[in-house]
Amino acid sequence: MASREDFAMTDLFPQKGHDHSRCVDSALREAEKVCDAENARFTDMRRLVFSLIWKSHKAITAYELLDAIQAGGQRVQPPTVYRALEFLTQLGLIHRIESLNAYFGCDMPHHHHLGQYFICRQCGRVAEAVDEEMSNAVRKAARQVQFRIEATTIEIKGLCHDCATH
Amino acid sequence: MASREDFAMTDLFPQKGHDHSRCVDSALREAEKVCDAENARFTDMRRLVFSLIWKSHKAITAYELLDAIQAGGQRVQPPTVYRALEFLTQLGLIHRIESLNAYFGCDMPHHHHLGQYFICRQCGRVAEAVDEEMSNAVRKAARQVQFRIEATTIEIKGLCHDCATH
DNA sequence: TGACGTGATGTTATAATATATCATTTCTTG
DNA sequence: CAAGAAATGATATATTATAACATCACGTCA
Ligand SMILES: [Zn+2]
Ligand SMILES: [Zn+2]
Ligand SMILES: [Zn+2]
Ligand SMILES: [Zn+2]
């Protein structure tokens, strides 16, 4: 992926003409690092699923992944895909979008974070934010009601700047 | 439901021994008001589904509803349940919890709001908050990245105070 | 009243998403 | 290489959701 510094603050979503091969390369390198650090095996299947997820900045469903793999000639079954997805999710290399039943690649798997997801209904792209103000607001609200947070799902649907203006 | 004033600030989740029939009665009255105001028909099936959802403060799935209806002797099919759910959701009488594929009754259907849901993994209860600080943080973050919000999903999983302490 | 139009529900079939279970293969490590 | 652990293959099935068309119920107005 392009590194975070390549974007202005308002460009959470990647530029239309960006060099996406850099996104993919960088994501793969990061994933390898994380797997190494966790002493986890980045097998061919996991790498394949991960690469397919990184084909775009959109979220992709398990069965779309399955179809893509089968289109590549491998006769793979749902459990195989779901296992790879579980593995990648556990390691934080990808995130699941609950409201879409779909997955997309994380920009910053090395750093443990509670993310918030902006999802454009027009172009389908997903952008992850790590906004401390949102996180803090959630933590504060939880504290007020004495709720012990274990996981949060923050998904924001609408139109990205590109789609809202063009 | 017990009115909001019955709870201290930290009691977003209802008290264990509360008189739940009051919750149900109040919810039904509110639902009728909303349907009236919207000139929508609160049919028997919709009322039944709504009542079943309000059987508890937990979220319930479409097929659990279906089973409950069938247990009551009616031979109803999935589309019927999903239609009732869609109707109730549209009117804001219930909310869908994306991360559970389940539904639960809204406390305050009369007032248009973006809610946040606390979900206890232990007791299964769901509590809805309408926290302006969370909403504002989301709106502000969206503004910063020039994202036009159309819907938000904020689901917070963990342990409620009761379950964390007992 | 009763024919009509609309909205709600019934009915059948199937699509889409996800997991349980056991068999086999691959990897690691001694 | 042998043995155990981890990953994947394979089969079956569970769970969640919708498409499509038929019928029924209800309000309206001729
Ligand atoms: Zn890219
Ligand atoms: Zn867009
Ligand atoms: Zn109650
Ligand atoms: Zn609880």
Side-chain angles (χ1 to χ4, degrees), chain A residues 8-50:
Chain A
M9 257 322 191
T10 53
D11 288 330
L12 194 62
F13 287 84
Q15 303 281 0
K16 280 285 153 103
H18 79 285
D19 178 4
H20 187 59
S21 68
R22 285 188 61 210
C23 303
V24 176
D25 291 348
S26 168
L28 277 167
R29 274 197 307 277
E30 286 292 327
E32 263 151 20
K33 270 197 237 168
V34 169
C35 286
D36 260 20
E38 300 288 332
N39 207 21
R41 288 165 53 198
F42 199 39
T43 62
D44 286 351
M45 183 56 65
R46 290 165 179 173
R47 179 186 303 268
L48 173 56
V49 168
F50 185 75

Side-chain angles (χ1 to χ4, degrees), chain B residues 56-156:
Chain B
S56 76
H57 292 274
K58 301 179 190 179
I60 185 170
T61 69
Y63 278 79
E64 286 168 351
L65 289 165
L66 183 63
D67 290 347
I69 295 170
Q70 288 175 338
Q74 293 191 57
R75 277 194 303 285
V76 156
Q77 304 304 322
T80 299
V81 174
Y82 279 102
R83 284 167 186 150
L85 290 171
E86 185 184 8
F87 172 87
L88 296 169
T89 303
Q90 300 282 335
L91 263 71
L93 299 174
I94 63 174
H95 298 297
R96 175 179 165 89
I97 304 292
E98 296 291 347
S99 59
L100 297 178
N101 298 330
Y103 302 82
F104 86 109
C106 180
D107 258 329
M108 42 202 146
H110 46 279
H111 116 337
H112 189 260
H113 57 279
L114 291 186
Q116 301 95 25
Y117 310 110
F118 289 94
I119 305 158
C120 179
R121 72 158 157 82
Q122 182 72 39
C123 66
R125 290 184 299 171
V126 176
E128 179 172 10
V130 178
D131 182 293
E132 286 303 322
E133 236 173 290
M134 277 193 276
S135 300
N136 286 338
V138 169
R139 278 191 285 264
K140 181 171 171 192
R143 200 173 331 110
Q144 282 170 352
V145 300
Q146 302 186 284
F147 188 91
R148 183 182 300 169
I149 297 178
E150 290 175 349
T152 66
T153 299
I154 300 186
E155 300 173 4
I156 305 162

Side-chain angles (χ1 to χ4, degrees), chain A residues 13 19 27 30 38 48 51 61 72 77 94 117 124 137 146 155:
Chain A
F13 287 84
D19 178 4
E30 286 292 327
E38 300 288 332
L48 173 56
S51 300
T61 69
Q77 304 304 322
I94 62 174
Y117 310 109
Q146 302 187 286
E155 298 173 5

Side-chain angles (χ1 to χ4, degrees), chain A residues 39-71:
Chain A
N39 207 21
R41 288 165 53 198
F42 199 39
T43 62
D44 286 351
M45 183 56 65
R46 290 165 179 173
R47 179 186 303 268
L48 173 56
V49 168
F50 185 75
S51 300
L52 288 169
I53 290 172
W54 269 102
K55 276 265 173 198
S56 78
H57 290 274
K58 302 179 189 179
I60 185 170
T61 69
Y63 278 78
E64 287 169 350
L65 288 165
L66 185 62
D67 288 349
I69 294 170
Q70 288 175 339

Side-chain angles (χ1 to χ4, degrees), chain A residues 28-146:
Chain A
L28 277 167
R29 274 197 307 277
E30 286 292 327
E32 263 151 20
K33 270 197 237 168
V34 169
C35 286
D36 260 20
E38 300 288 332
N39 207 21
R41 288 165 53 198
F42 199 39
T43 62
D44 286 351
M45 183 56 65
R46 290 165 179 173
R47 179 186 303 268
L48 173 56
V49 168
F50 185 75
S51 300
L52 288 169
I53 290 172
W54 269 102
K55 276 265 173 198
S56 78
H57 290 274
K58 302 179 189 179
I60 185 170
T61 69
Y63 278 78
E64 287 169 350
L65 288 165
L66 185 62
D67 288 349
I69 294 170
Q70 288 175 339
Q74 293 191 56
R75 277 192 303 284
V76 155
Q77 304 304 322
T80 299
V81 173
Y82 279 102
R83 284 167 185 149
L85 289 171
E86 185 184 9
F87 171 88
L88 297 168
T89 303
Q90 299 283 335
L91 263 70
L93 298 175
I94 62 174
H95 298 299
R96 174 180 166 88
I97 304 293
E98 296 291 347
S99 59
L100 298 179
N101 298 329
Y103 302 81
F104 85 108
C106 178
D107 256 330
M108 41 205 147
H110 46 279
H111 117 334
H112 189 262
H113 58 278
L114 292 186
Q116 301 97 26
Y117 310 109
F118 289 94
I119 305 158
C120 179
R121 73 158 156 80
Q122 182 71 42
C123 65
R125 290 184 299 171
V126 176
E128 178 172 10
V130 177
D131 181 295
E132 287 303 321
E133 241 174 288
M134 277 194 274
S135 300
N136 287 338
V138 169
R139 278 191 285 264
K140 181 174 172 189
R143 200 173 331 110
Q144 282 170 353
V145 301
Q146 302 187 286

